[in-house]
Amino acid sequence: MTSPLDITLELLAASRNESADAVLLPALDSHEPNIRDGALRALMHRGCLEAQRFAVGRLHTFDDAWRALVSEYRGRMSIAIRDAVLSTEVQLCKNGCELLLQFRDYELAPALINAAEDETNPNRGLAAHTLLQLAELLYQELNAPADPYNRRDPQRLRQQVVGVLEQSLLRYNRHRVVAVLESFLLLANRDNPTLKAILSDPRNGNYLPLADMLTHSPRPGVMRLVLSFLDDPHAPSAVMTLLAYRHDDKFVECLLRKVGSEPSPAVAHNLRRIENIAWLQSEEAVVQRLDDAGQRAAVALAVRSGVNRRAVFKMLEALLLRGKPAGRIAAAEALAPFNGAEANTLAMRALLDSDPEVQARIVPQLRHRSIPGAVGKLIELLESPHAVVRVAARESLSEFSFKRYVAAYDMLDEEVRRSTGEMVAKVDAEAVPLLLEELRSPARSRRLRALSMSAAMGLVARIEYDLHERLLDEDHLVRAETARVLAPCDTHDTHDALREALNDTSLTVREAAEASLKTLKQPTTPPIVLPPAPPWQETVT
């Protein structure tokens, strides 16, 4: 059942008579909690400015219930909060700033700026700090996923706040409120005319403080602004200079994430403009602290920058010797354009890396470096236990391909046929399949050449059974050549195949088979020894 007090408060809250405020305001000091609570709710509902000022002034004494009540009327309290922010009373200003941040009342940024710029205001430091916090909140809201329940447009609010900050920035030489600079940089984008005008003119009074803030601010929003200039093909040179100067770990991490392993054309263009990167050239520890992706990006940044090539080489050397796996892989690949004895020595050391991916990046560089014995080393690597290294070695010896070999075979002398053929057999993974295709060619000349090539390449033993099929070839010349080629193949199956060839209808084939059998050694497979016969089966004489 509704009490008389509740009915009275409801009537006063709904009344259009301004005298109701005069009745309700004294009730805020009542000793009865239900009267105080009801009076405050009724006054807040009526939009009473005096009650709002009362709420802001007493906020630090409110319990959670009263604070929650004040929050319900957040959209009606801007005037009271603004007055509190501009007040010279410390506690009142604190309460106003607290509510301003709680309600994210961005429209009150001008009040904070006025209080911060006022040299006679004892609360100017608090106002400046609150301004920076408010800018940070708006920055977070701009970068957060869209909230369907938020009716405010963050971009419109950004334009409004940046506009008043720009005006304050023009007065910076008078008030020197650093929070104004940092708040502006948090919310401005790289195309902001005021920002570009300052950064393009070192004689501008705001150039040095602004550049200093861009160089040292730890706030993610300021770092984002600096890094966004990498995407600008007409970025001021001053930004590229300060970007290269920053060496704090968080900024370096963000920079490398921006660059990545494959920078965009715009980023690559701007990196070429950077001739000095402090942490890259003098602080190896920074690079060593990076994770795999960071070290890989550091290599991409270094090789695309305008930094002295000697400094880049030293960084690659440090990564190859002490870097993480991804960093060593990237450094090994980036070493390719560097020549000279020092680079060659480093390449050979990297070839011994425990990671086969690092080895595979070095392998293609061996022949281009004119390192003595490079071809022999590549041949050794064809037997590597790691497939990626074997593939790289084959690609580095790509001229030893079966197709090139077969095309030139008829023009080569016997010694070159043999030496080149053995290389082709080792290098070209398709050598055996392609040779078998030649063996089965309809053209007799190709089959005969394939037989000769199988001997020159040292592949007779590997294709022994395919050669046995050629002993049944329709052409007697092919059968005879097959019999001659099988001479070094000392196995029982080849013995049997050649003995069968002794019955060939062609005298030439029979003679070739007989000659090969004479040259064959005894089979390496031991003969089958039968067990002795049981005594009862022995022959009685």
Side-chain angles (χ1 to χ4, degrees):
M1 186 174 181
T2 306
S3 68
L5 176 61
D6 292 336
I7 295 173
T8 301
L9 290 171
E10 288 178 7
L11 288 172
L12 289 171
S15 174
R16 296 185 179 181
N17 192 328
E18 294 182 2
S19 299
D21 293 346
V23 175
L24 289 166
L25 283 169
L28 294 175
D29 294 319
S30 173
H31 295 293
E32 295 294 331
N34 56 341
I35 295 177
R36 290 198 310 269
D37 294 352
L40 180 60
R41 181 174 291 280
L43 284 165
M44 297 297 286
H45 180 76
R46 290 177 57 79
C48 175
L49 182 58
E50 287 302 318
Q52 293 171 5
R53 286 172 174 160
F54 168 85
V56 176
R58 300 280 187 90
L59 182 71
H60 59 288
T61 66
F62 283 6
D63 58 18
D64 291 342
W66 273 40
R67 283 176 174 270
L69 176 59
V70 171
S71 295
E72 292 180 22
Y73 297 94
R74 58 193 305 164
R76 303 183 181 185
M77 298 186 63
S78 292
I79 294 177
I81 295 173
R82 182 200 62 195
D83 292 345
V85 167
L86 293 172
S87 172
T88 57
E89 186 182 333
V90 176
Q91 188 60 60
L92 181 58
C93 184
K94 283 183 179 179
N95 293 351
C97 289
E98 180 182 341
L99 284 176
L100 186 150
L101 293 175
Q102 180 184 336
F103 297 163
R104 299 197 176 201
D105 201 340
Y106 302 117
E107 286 83 355
L108 291 181
L112 289 171
I113 291 174
N114 289 337
E117 288 187 11
D118 186 357
E119 295 181 0
T120 64
N121 189 336
N123 299 318
R124 66 184 307 218
L126 174 61
H129 181 67
T130 304
L131 174 66
L132 189 53
Q133 288 181 291
L134 187 68
E136 190 70 58
L137 288 173
L138 181 52
Y139 172 76
Q140 293 172 5
E141 198 168 319
L142 286 163
N143 291 278
D147 184 357
Y149 300 102
N150 187 359
R151 297 182 179 181
R152 301 187 302 180
D153 179 6
Q155 293 297 337
R156 182 184 61 81
L157 292 170
R158 175 191 202 169
Q159 292 175 359
Q160 293 177 356
V161 176
V162 169
V164 295
L165 287 169
E166 284 178 330
Q167 295 302 314
S168 180
L169 193 60
L170 297 176
R171 303 187 293 270
Y172 180 78
N173 286 331
R174 293 204 301 270
H175 59 71
R176 294 289 175 179
V177 178
V178 176
V180 170
L181 280 179
E182 198 160 12
S183 298
F184 171 74
L185 294 176
L186 266 174
L187 299 176
N189 57 46
R190 70 168 187 263
D191 296 321
N192 182 277
T194 300
L195 176 63
K196 278 201 158 185
I198 295 173
L199 291 176
S200 299
D201 183 9
R203 295 169 298 180
N204 189 298
N206 291 329
Y207 176 86
L208 290 178
L210 202 67
D212 183 70
M213 184 63 67
L214 289 170
T215 305
H216 298 101
S217 174
R219 297 187 181 274
V222 178
M223 294 183 188
R224 170 205 58 82
L225 177 62
V226 175
L227 295 175
S228 70
F229 278 100
L230 283 172
D231 295 315
D232 183 358
H234 305 292
S237 57
V239 179
M240 294 298 104
T241 301
L242 64 89
L243 183 147
Y245 178 79
R246 288 197 69 154
H247 58 274
D248 46 306
D249 286 1
K250 187 62 180 177
F251 180 81
V252 171
E253 178 186 334
C254 293
L255 169 62
L256 295 177
R257 192 181 303 120
K258 173 75 175 178
V259 172
S261 57
E262 287 295 333
S264 68
V267 172
H269 166 75
N270 278 316
L271 290 178
R272 285 194 293 272
R273 300 169 58 191
I274 301 176
E275 298 181 354
N276 177 46
I277 301 176
W279 57 269
L280 187 96
Q281 295 173 253
S282 59
E283 300 185 35
E284 182 187 332
V286 175
V287 179
Q288 295 298 341
R289 286 197 297 269
L290 298 172
D291 59 12
D292 279 75
Q295 290 189 351
R296 185 169 60 245
V299 172
L301 184 151
V303 299
R304 288 169 174 80
S305 71
V307 171
N308 178 275
R309 296 295 91 181
R310 179 64 183 172
V312 174
F313 175 80
K314 295 308 270 183
M315 189 205 79
L316 297 179
E317 181 181 40
L319 280 178
L320 275 171
L321 300 180
R322 295 177 290 278
K324 296 178 176 63
R328 300 202 308 276
I329 292 170
E333 194 168 7
L335 186 65
F338 292 87
N339 299 311
E342 198 172 0
N344 291 350
T345 301
L346 182 59
M348 294 307 292
R349 289 187 64 179
L351 199 60
L352 302 176
D353 195 280
S354 59
D355 191 331
E357 292 289 347
V358 176
Q359 299 176 35
R361 298 309 192 280
I362 295 295
V363 167
Q365 303 176 27
L366 296 182
R367 296 184 71 182
H368 301 299
R369 294 185 177 281
S370 300
I371 295 175
V375 173
K377 185 63 179 176
L378 289 171
I379 294 173
E380 289 179 21
L381 293 172
L382 291 172
E383 306 299 326
S384 169
H386 307 292
V388 67
V389 177
R390 295 197 299 270
V391 170
R394 285 196 183 96
E395 291 177 352
S396 297
L397 296 166
S398 59
E399 71 270 28
F400 294 102
S401 69
F402 183 85
K403 291 182 179 180
R404 293 184 64 179
Y405 180 58
V406 72
Y409 187 79
D410 294 334
M411 296 178 287
L412 305 176
D413 59 39
E414 286 301 321
E415 181 60 31
V416 175
R417 283 180 177 181
R418 186 171 57 257
S419 59
T420 305
E422 290 173 355
M423 284 288 291
V424 171
K426 291 179 179 179
V427 173
D428 194 341
E430 296 297 314
V432 172
L434 293 174
L435 179 61
L436 294 179
E437 285 185 19
E438 292 293 308
L439 277 174
R440 300 184 184 111
S441 171
R444 180 179 67 180
S445 60
R446 291 177 62 182
R447 298 200 301 275
L448 289 170
R449 182 174 57 195
L451 289 167
S452 175
M453 290 171 63
S454 65
M457 297 172 72
L459 294 175
V460 172
R462 287 180 61 181
I463 62 172
E464 173 187 3
Y465 296 104
D466 298 281
L467 291 174
H468 292 172
E469 293 180 8
R470 292 303 98 208
L471 287 173
L472 304 175
D473 195 276
E474 62 183 16
D475 191 292
H476 73 284
L477 293 178
V478 173
R479 299 198 302 273
E481 182 63 22
T482 304
R484 281 189 286 271
V485 166
L486 282 168
C489 193
D490 191 14
T491 67
H492 280 292
D493 290 338
T494 294
H495 270 258
D496 293 342
L498 289 172
R499 290 185 187 281
E500 287 289 334
L502 292 176
N503 300 318
D504 196 278
T505 57
S506 170
L507 176 62
T508 304
V509 175
R510 294 197 301 271
E511 289 176 347
E514 185 176 1
S516 292
L517 283 168
K518 287 180 179 179
T519 60
L520 284 173
K521 298 178 182 178
Q522 290 300 317
T524 56
T525 305
I528 298 175
V529 179
L530 297 176
W536 59 83
Q537 292 185 5
E538 292 182 358
T539 304
V540 179
T541 59

